[in-house]
Amino acid sequence: MSGHPTRIGWFSAREVECNPPPPAREHPYRLVLLGPPGVGKGTQALLLSEDLRACHLSTGDLFRATRCQSAPSPAMQVAIDAMNRGELVREDLVIQMVRERSKCIQCLGGFLLDGFPRNIHQAEALSALMDELRVAPDAVVSYELPWEEIVARLSGRRTCSECRAVFHVASQPPSRSDRCDRCGASLMQRDDDRPEAIRVRLRTYESETRPLADYYSGTGKLLSVPAHGTPREICRRTLAALHALAPPATPHPTSSRAPG
Ligand code: AP5
């Protein structure tokens, strides 16, 4: 979509650089988005990227893109099977995938990291990586919503099979029920949006991911944002909370320009 930073570097890891490269920002925003499955992190990342010009880096999107390949590696097939059941993908694989995309973490266009970290071990791995790259997160935005609304958002989600645009049968319906408004491709329901996988994902969130709020609250960078209302309202709420913080950290003088 025009106006959104390209994510080619994220999807292709080392081989391809974003073209055109994202515009370097004097103060690039580097945000971590937290929250239960279906709370609306991806929807917010899209809206926030319009305002902040930072790139939406989603680990879930990475796995879904790999699933579309004709012959995923055996390790990746195991990851895809775990994802379809609603379980977390193997830790070492996720951390390796993020490390291979260090240039996106370091990019002077900034980032909105969605889906990583998902537990304390991943949070420590991210912290170590960012220390190595001499960058720091500006904020960790944690979206909050009651369970019943989350389940309604997940069960009604429809995703474009081509461009990954997200719709909802009730709150964001496409103009034609089975077609993407953006590219015209068919819409599908994600395998992990089936009721049994939703149950596993919510349980996993409670045991693995929710403790991250405590972990980050000690850093003074945690912003809790209620996720009720329309996507635009939530986006405005997020921006207001961000702007109430100090401006984003100036890039470390030794950070190199890296395409995202
Ligand atoms: P991932 O893709 O990260 O999924 P998730 O965290 O479960 O989040 P979702 O994408 O389901 O939801 P969302 O919060 O982005 O909501 P959305 O904006 O779409 O991960 C998938 C899987 O990959 C994991 O389960 C795991 O297997 C694996 N994985 C990924 N990262 C991993 C990691 N680090 N470690 C291990 N495994 C990993 O919105 C949902 C719906 O609600 C949409 O239909 C939308 O239109 C609608 N909606 C949004 N906002 C609103 C609103 N304000 N009002 C009404 N409807 C709304």
Side-chain angles (χ1 to χ4, degrees), residues 2-5 23 25 27-29 31 43-55 109 112 232 235-240 242-243:
S2 67
H4 290 281
R25 315 276 295 173
H27 297 297
Y29 269 98
L31 305 182
T43 302
Q44 289 307 310
L46 194 70
L47 293 173
L48 289 169
S49 71
E50 285 170 5
D51 202 89
L52 305 176
R53 318 304 302 164
C55 209
L112 306 160
R232 288 270 167 211
C235 182
R236 280 197 290 275
R237 211 174 282 147
T238 309
L239 290 171
L242 273 178
H243 293 150

Side-chain angles (χ1 to χ4, degrees), residues 35-44 58-61 63-64 82-83 86-89 94 114-118 122 153-154 156-158 166-168 171-172 190 192-193 201 227 229-231 234:
V39 75
K41 301 178 296 294
T43 302
Q44 289 307 310
S58 155
T59 43
D61 280 352
F63 291 120
R64 281 184 287 279
M83 184 172 77
E87 297 164 6
L88 292 188
V89 168
V94 184
D114 166 11
F116 186 89
R118 254 183 156 87
Q122 292 185 14
R153 285 187 186 180
L154 284 173
R157 173 165 52 191
R158 297 293 179 271
V166 171
F167 300 86
H168 190 277
S171 63
Q172 293 172 273
R190 273 171 44 174
D192 59 350
D193 282 346
R201 289 163 72 199
T230 67
I234 301 161

Side-chain angles (χ1 to χ4, degrees), residues 55-258:
C55 209
H56 175 203
L57 308 181
S58 155
T59 43
D61 280 352
L62 270 186
F63 291 120
R64 281 184 287 279
T66 310
R67 187 167 47 187
C68 298
Q69 292 169 1
S70 51
S73 68
M76 195 50 77
Q77 190 56 55
V78 171
I80 291 165
D81 292 343
M83 184 172 77
N84 289 345
R85 289 192 299 269
E87 297 164 6
L88 292 188
V89 168
R90 230 178 56 202
E91 193 101 298
D92 54 336
L93 187 66
V94 184
I95 293 173
Q96 181 197 334
M97 284 177 80
V98 173
R99 288 197 80 92
E100 283 172 357
R101 289 158 176 82
S102 292
K103 62 184 180 185
C104 297
I105 303 295
Q106 205 175 16
C107 177
L108 293 185
F111 63 74
L112 306 160
L113 192 53
D114 166 11
F116 186 89
R118 254 183 156 87
N119 57 30
I120 303 284
H121 184 230
Q122 292 185 14
E124 288 169 348
L126 177 64
S127 172
L129 176 63
M130 292 185 81
D131 283 351
E132 277 170 40
L133 299 173
R134 309 182 82 116
V135 295
D138 298 293
V140 176
V141 181
S142 179
Y143 290 106
E144 319 280 349
L145 197 69
W147 275 152
E148 55 278 13
E149 291 182 52
I150 286 172
V151 172
R153 285 187 186 180
L154 284 173
S155 338
R157 173 165 52 191
R158 297 293 179 271
T159 308
C160 176
S161 51
E162 288 293 324
C163 74
R164 304 185 193 90
V166 171
F167 300 86
H168 190 277
V169 289
S171 63
Q172 293 172 273
S175 336
R176 282 186 295 158
S177 67
D178 59 344
R179 293 278 146 197
C180 175
D181 286 347
R182 263 164 69 174
C183 72
S186 58
L187 297 181
M188 46 161 246
Q189 184 163 31
R190 273 171 44 174
D191 287 331
D192 59 350
D193 282 346
R194 288 172 292 109
E196 58 276 25
I198 290 178
R199 274 194 293 277
V200 175
R201 289 163 72 199
L202 293 177
R203 269 203 307 269
T204 306
Y205 173 79
E206 279 300 325
S207 59
E208 297 271 330
T209 313
R210 191 179 282 285
L212 283 178
D214 281 343
Y215 176 88
Y216 282 116
S217 67
T219 67
K221 293 186 174 178
L222 184 72
L223 294 179
S224 283
V225 176
H228 58 79
T230 67
R232 288 270 167 211
E233 285 166 351
I234 301 161
C235 182
R236 280 197 290 275
R237 211 174 282 147
T238 309
L239 290 171
L242 273 178
H243 293 150
L245 283 176
T250 307
H252 192 282
T254 57
S255 301
S256 60
R257 172 85 179 88

